[in-house]
Amino acid sequence: MTTWITTCDTCKRDGWDEGEMTQTDGESLADLIEAAATGLSGVKTRRVSCLMGCKNACNVTIQGHGKLSYTLGAFTPDPESASGIVAYAMAHAGSETGQVPYREWPQAIKGHFVTRHPPLPEDE
């Protein structure tokens, strides 16, 4: 089953407006995540414009059909954060429920969880 990493490409961290950046922090993080996930089985990436977590920029979601979903935020757009996000998504993909034991969490994602959502019901 595929786990999706959705990255907010409009996220801007504090101070972004004072810098001379050519892309948003979210775009930078998305580039790094996409590069880290290239060629991996079970994980796909996508970008969206605004996950409405501006206070916690940079934001990503980790989702898989029938599994717990997570929103994570307050990342620095750097290779360590990107590899931690991808490593967590790989563990999520390998989990039947989407729950990953804390001892298996990459250090780079600890302290970045914002929300957890139960899977949608299969029947109405």
Side-chain angles (χ1 to χ4, degrees):
M1 181 103 27
T2 300
T3 287
W4 284 89
I5 303 170
T6 304
T7 307
C8 177
D9 63 7
T10 55
C11 279
K12 297 175 185 171
R13 298 172 63 228
D14 286 342
W16 184 86
D17 293 329
E18 289 92 43
E20 295 184 22
M21 314 323 180
T22 58
Q23 63 182 150
T24 64
D25 294 311
E27 288 172 313
S28 297
L29 183 60
D31 287 345
L32 292 163
I33 289 170
E34 291 162 1
T38 298
L40 295 179
S41 177
V43 173
K44 292 186 179 180
T45 63
R46 65 182 180 159
R47 298 177 186 210
V48 297
S49 293
C50 198
L51 286 172
M52 296 184 75
C54 303
K55 196 174 189 178
N56 294 308
C58 294
N59 295 286
V60 299
T61 60
I62 308 292
Q63 301 167 292
H65 182 72
K67 296 183 177 188
L68 291 166
S69 298
Y70 299 90
T71 304
L72 297 87
F75 286 104
T76 301
D78 59 28
E80 181 184 356
S81 296
S83 4
I85 292 165
V86 171
Y88 183 80
M90 289 295 295
H92 181 273
S95 166
E96 187 175 315
T97 63
Q99 189 166 3
V100 178
Y102 181 79
R103 67 183 172 278
E104 295 177 21
W105 292 8
Q107 186 62 40
I109 59 108
K110 291 179 178 176
H112 291 273
F113 284 82
V114 177
T115 62
R116 177 173 78 173
H117 303 271
L120 292 172
E122 293 297 323
D123 297 353
E124 292 186 27

